[in-house]
Amino acid sequence: MCALLLVTACSAGPSQGERQAASDAAASQVESVADQVVAEFVRTYPDSEFALEPAGSSGYQHWSDCDNLVPPADGPSNVQWIARRSLVVEPQQETFSLLAPVVEAMQADGWATVTAPADPDHVVVLERDGYALTIGGDLEVDEGRVSKVGLDLVSPCMAAPDGLGA
């Protein structure tokens, strides 16, 4: 009878506290790394201005259901955290060429390149510890719109803590 109780306890999965701690850590990590990438652009290009869009925001961060397009009413089972930053670049310029030094800095910090900087989608994808970082830029100047650099950082999927989506 004792062995049966141990098997049942082991198969229950992470506790609410463990799920909450993992979710909080992932949310903090995506925000921190996204802000690190923004700071790297600012440090690398002191003669350019990088403004978060929309103006006055600190970027966009949210969780996403890993299993369903629309989370069930009682909340998701598995989630990942996503941080998005859209930077308006002044002066107006082609911005894809700005990526290489920032990508190199991220590689020096342990990020591995998944797609090469010459990718036809004008993005570079890097990965570290299950997190995926996508950085993209404009291939040409379009006089009708602002120049931008965008980045998305996505955490690995994890068991969702209770209360998300409720």
Side-chain angles (χ1 to χ4, degrees), residues 105-166:
M106 299 309 291
Q107 289 169 325
D109 194 34
W111 289 82
T113 304
V114 176
T115 62
D119 183 271
D121 293 330
H122 62 276
V123 298
V124 179
V125 179
L126 301 115
E127 191 173 73
R128 183 179 76 184
D129 301 328
Y131 288 77
L133 171 62
T134 303
I135 309 172
D138 298 325
L139 292 172
E140 56 190 44
V141 174
D142 181 349
E143 295 302 325
R145 62 184 199 108
V146 296
S147 298
K148 291 185 183 180
V149 170
L151 65 104
D152 290 313
L153 184 67
V154 180
S155 78
C157 287
M158 67 198 72
D162 295 341
L164 283 181

Side-chain angles (χ1 to χ4, degrees), residues 30 57 61 71 77 82 85 99 104 108 116 126 136 138 143 154 156 158:
V30 296
S57 77
Q61 182 173 315
S77 297
I82 301 169
R85 304 290 187 266
L99 305 185
E104 289 170 7
L126 301 115
D138 298 325
E143 295 302 325
V154 180
M158 67 198 72

Side-chain angles (χ1 to χ4, degrees), residues 52-54 56-61 84-86:
L52 281 169
E53 186 181 63
S57 77
S58 60
Y60 180 65
Q61 182 173 315
R84 176 166 289 146
R85 304 290 187 266
S86 180

